[in-house]
Amino acid sequence: MSRIIKIFDTTLRDGEQSPGCSMNLKEKLEMAKQLERLKIDVIEAGFAIASPGDFESVRLVANEIKNATVASLARSTEKDITAAYEALKGAVNPRIHFFLATSDIHMEYKLRMTPEEVLEKAVKMARFARNLCGEVEFSAEDASRTRPEFLYRVLEGVINEGVTVVNVPDTVGYTTPGEHFKFIEAIRHNVPNIDKATISVHVHDDLGLAVANSLAAIQAGAGQVECTVNGIGERAGNAALEEIVMALKTRHDIYQADTNIDTTQIYRSSRLLSKLIGVKVQPNKAIVGENAFAHESGIHQHGMMANKETYEIMTPESIGLKQNKMVLGKHSGKHAFVDKLSSLGYTFTSDEVVELFNQFKVLADKKKDISDKDILALVEQKQLAIPAVYSLDRFIISTGNTISTAATIRLRKNGDLIEGVSLADGPISAGFKAIGVLVDEELTLIDYGVEAVTDGTDAQGEAHVKISDGTHFYHGRGLSTDIIDASLKAFVDAVNQMLYIQETQKEKA
Ligand code: KIV
Ligand code: ZN
């Protein structure tokens, strides 16, 4: 008989805490809304005590998300657990997720506690958390390297206090599929009250085995898996959500397990995350890489034409990668535009529709066919907009391969116009240099890239710029049919992101 495996997404916590993957408040909320469309069971929104920004993002996600459980991580202290509870108060289904390390190495060197002290603390904090919140999850950090008999006692103790989800992380990505299967099976057989809780797994990918280990755990009886979109996370990352979900779906004959996930939202979730954090998905990545459904070789193409199943074990449509033939153009009216927005899952107020429709018309003047990807890019740009100090008013760049490039940039700063000129080797560096002089902030360019949103010579270019103020990274985006325009906008956006985050942190302090 088929079981339902609960999907616990930690993109906004374990994923977001990894270097170069940070998101601002608005971006986290946008991602959470997409996770809700994906029909995630549990969204771990952050680690409330970690910083005022983290607290705020857990609170915001908890207040906005209605169809998923919202969790916050907490260490095993009353202060942490109380902060998690406070941030989650507005959630329809809140879950406190607290953790304590149980392996000898962590207890001795990190916690400096004896096993008996750890057991006592876990039980005490379980009781404390349960008094605050109806749903509590406990994670035995480094569980896969914990002495089994001790782990069983800790799990039994917290379940006795009303914890209903016990997570046994492979924190350092050390285990293997066969070992993990036996590990979960042994927990089922040796923890006397395990029938009162769901066993959850949370596997890191240090040996590239996170998905295989998660699937082995499911076969052994785990009922929840913790994972992230695109597999982002600490070090080598966490188990990739899309790979677990599609493996369960495609090999239902083996796993006999379903999820509640709407798989047609997978591609969009992957793309949105990649855009938010400015980290590209590798082309050959399973399920969501650009090449995952591409068939280059003649033999493959021939087979595919005769019967798709010769080389295709799942369809691109099943992850939402459909070749939508219904394109819009400059003669499309507002009705068709609104229909398209709602077929993509968006509803907007009439003022917002007017604003988007105007942008669509401007784009349609430059580009013959407007595809779903173009419309998504416009929508995402609107949804992620932050209060901007600077905007790009105009630029004039003269360039060539025998002259040095001169860029004249005019910015609007809080309504006033400011203009500057710079010389450099090429149009992008001259433009960036001129903007750098105008904004007069301490910043270093860390990364820059531009890619086409769709195919074709009139495609929109989407530029990404990552800058640093020496403490944090800030990621800006720019969209235009002209790649220089897109690049300059992305640089200005990165500066605005930096000023926005610096300002919100000042307000919180
Ligand atoms: O990897 C890990 O052990 C964790 C826990 C805090 C759940 O992220
Ligand atoms: Zn982790």
Side-chain angles (χ1 to χ4, degrees), residues 10 13-14 17 169-171 202-204 226 234-235 237-238:
T10 184
R13 199 277 298 168
D14 215 329
Q17 78 192 35
D170 181 31
T171 303
H202 172 117
V203 191
H204 280 270
E226 303 195 355
E234 283 281 3
R235 305 182 308 280
N238 288 61

Side-chain angles (χ1 to χ4, degrees), residues 241-275:
L241 180 152
E242 58 280 0
E243 295 179 24
I244 294 175
V245 169
M246 290 313 286
L248 293 178
K249 188 176 164 89
T250 309
R251 296 312 310 269
H252 194 269
D253 55 327
I254 302 284
Y255 296 109
Q256 303 283 309
D258 295 299
T259 66
N260 294 319
I261 297 298
D262 175 357
T263 62
T264 64
Q265 290 291 330
I266 283 180
Y267 182 72
R268 204 199 290 181
S269 307
S270 162
R271 191 177 163 281
L272 176 64
L273 177 68
S274 163
K275 176 175 182 147

Side-chain angles (χ1 to χ4, degrees), residues 161-179:
E161 296 300 331
V163 165
T164 49
V165 182
V166 284
N167 185 38
V168 283
D170 181 31
T171 303
V172 290
Y174 181 67
T175 197
T176 64
E179 184 181 68

Side-chain angles (χ1 to χ4, degrees), residues 16 49 73 153 159 175 181-182 202 209 274 301 405 457:
E16 205 262 348
I49 195 93
L73 189 66
R153 285 176 64 208
I159 295 171
T175 197
F181 181 94
K182 289 190 197 135
H202 172 117
L209 293 171
S274 163
Q301 286 175 354
T405 302
T457 48

